Amino acid sequence: MLVKLSRRVLPATRAEGPTAGMPTTLSHLSGMIGLVWCPVVMWMLLLTLLSLANRIA
């Protein structure tokens, strides 16, 4: 099977929305960090509880 990759360059698009063109603020970054770390901590807690239940059983 032969796959041909395109080297076509897409034109830049303008940002739209209420914050278009505004620089990123620290509050946006802290919100993103919260969105990333919350699932990570939840998965670690779930794996810890499952491994603890496996040792008990």
Side-chain angles (χ1 to χ4, degrees):
M1 175 182 266
L2 181 63
V3 177
K4 184 178 180 182
L5 299 176
S6 173
R7 290 184 174 239
R8 183 176 59 164
V9 177
L10 299 175
T13 58
R14 294 187 56 145
E16 296 178 4
T19 59
M22 295 178 64
T24 304
T25 61
L26 190 58
S27 62
H28 291 122
L29 295 176
S30 64
M32 288 302 295
I33 290 172
L35 288 175
V36 170
W37 278 107
C38 185
V40 170
V41 170
M42 295 301 272
W43 274 108
M44 288 173 49
L45 180 63
L46 178 66
L47 290 174
T48 302
L49 290 174
L50 287 174
S51 63
L52 188 65
N54 190 22
R55 288 179 189 227
I56 292 173

